[in-house]
Amino acid sequence: AQTVTQSQPEMSVQEAETVTLSCTYDTSESDYYLFWYKQPPSRQMILVIRQEAYKQQNATENRFSVNFQKAAKSFSLKISDSQLGDAAMYFCAYRSSGTSYGKLTFGQGTILTVHP
Amino acid sequence: EPEVTQTPSHQVTQMGQEVILRCVPISNHLYFYWYRQILGQKVEFLVSFYNNEISEKSEIFDDQFSVERPDGSNFTLKIRSTKLEDSAMYFCASYTPWDSSRGYTFGSGTRLTVV
């Protein structure tokens, strides 16, 4: 079974600075998808960014980018120019590509605090 | 932008009672899921549903749980006899492979409190 580990229970960053959240995963599969979800205090799960394992290029979405290291099974999220609205719980998630309806396996989450 | 809608937002129930949590997935999505998040813990998969049947379920999804899509739009999770440990946030999600760039779309969740 796949596992996802987020080793940083909490992180903090100053507004306008850059922060990196770590995620590692364990799988024997060669093709899969990785996601970062944001959960603000409202508890809604919001997709931040996704990465297909077969793509070598790291995904980017505006201020959010990932560092995907397939051999190391590492998938970190970098938030540039941090804003107060980025404060939330961030979850890393894995999905096998073996089936179209594959479940997401989540990490434990990292609470991000943004200081003004 | 299309949304997944969950009702109610908060449900309080007595231990042993049955609860039904409701979800309206995005209309052209084909795959539906329930996840739960016990307060302060990670999000856990419960069940996936496709073509009117369960495609996968976790160990958590025991005989106390059931899902159905009664009318082609709603997707419900029923807990037959609630226990204190069922208190959690329950999220519905939907997905279509033809718009996979959006990933899974989650609802806002139902906070279930069992007393």
Side-chain angles (χ1 to χ4, degrees):
Chain A
Q2 294 81 21
T3 58
V4 178
T5 302
Q6 293 177 249
S7 58
Q8 306 154 318
E10 296 182 31
M11 292 284 285
S12 64
V13 63
Q14 291 292 132
E15 199 175 2
E17 297 293 306
T18 295
V19 65
T20 298
L21 308 184
S22 300
C23 173
T24 58
Y25 57 93
D26 186 28
T27 184
S28 58
E29 299 175 332
S30 60
D31 198 15
Y32 45 87
Y33 299 88
L34 296 164
F35 304 84
W36 278 99
Y37 277 89
K38 171 185 178 181
Q39 188 181 43
S42 66
R43 305 296 294 274
Q44 173 121 34
M45 297 287 286
I46 302 166
L47 177 66
V48 175
I49 200 164
R50 61 173 265 159
Q51 174 82 41
E52 291 89 343
Y54 65 86
K55 290 187 178 178
Q56 292 187 336
Q57 187 171 8
N58 289 323
T60 63
E61 286 287 342
N62 301 314
R63 299 182 294 107
F64 299 88
S65 61
V66 298
N67 183 4
F68 173 49
Q69 301 288 329
K70 191 173 184 180
K73 296 179 183 174
S74 169
F75 182 61
S76 60
L77 174 69
K78 185 170 86 170
I79 306 174
S80 304
D81 186 25
S82 297
Q83 300 175 359
L84 294 177
D86 294 334
M89 174 84 93
Y90 286 81
F91 290 98
C92 179
Y94 172 103
R95 196 206 100 187
S96 169
S97 68
T99 58
S100 295
Y101 48 76
K103 65 184 180 187
L104 293 173
T105 300
F106 287 88
Q108 303 91 322
T110 297
I111 298 172
L112 177 66
T113 302
V114 181
H115 299 290
Chain B
E1 191 162 313
E3 291 184 342
V4 174
T5 305
Q6 287 187 245
T7 55
S9 57
H10 190 191
Q11 171 107 34
V12 180
T13 189
Q14 290 204 323
M15 191 168 55
Q17 295 295 305
E18 174 183 286
V19 294
I20 298 176
L21 309 183
R22 302 181 192 280
C23 169
V24 179
I26 294 174
S27 60
N28 64 344
H29 282 194
L30 301 177
Y31 302 94
F32 313 112
Y33 309 83
W34 284 100
Y35 290 83
R36 94 173 172 190
Q37 183 184 31
I38 295 171
L39 187 63
Q41 299 186 23
K42 68 177 176 180
V43 180
E44 300 173 293
F45 168 76
L46 290 178
V47 65
S48 58
F49 192 86
Y50 169 70
N51 201 25
N52 284 319
E53 61 182 23
I54 291 173
S55 14
E56 186 178 1
K57 59 183 180 179
S58 71
E59 291 178 354
I60 303 168
F61 194 88
D62 60 21
D63 292 343
Q64 293 296 317
F65 292 89
S66 62
V67 290
E68 64 174 0
R69 192 161 157 79
D71 57 12
S73 61
N74 290 285
F75 179 51
T76 62
L77 174 69
K78 182 192 290 186
I79 310 175
R80 289 192 183 82
S81 178
T82 50
K83 309 184 192 93
L84 293 176
E85 54 264 38
D86 293 328
S87 295
M89 196 78 168
Y90 288 81
F91 291 100
C92 173
S94 68
Y95 173 79
T96 177
W98 292 282
D99 187 15
S100 58
S101 63
R102 297 189 63 207
Y104 296 71
T105 303
F106 284 81
S108 300
T110 294
R111 184 186 300 275
L112 177 65
T113 303
V114 183
V115 297

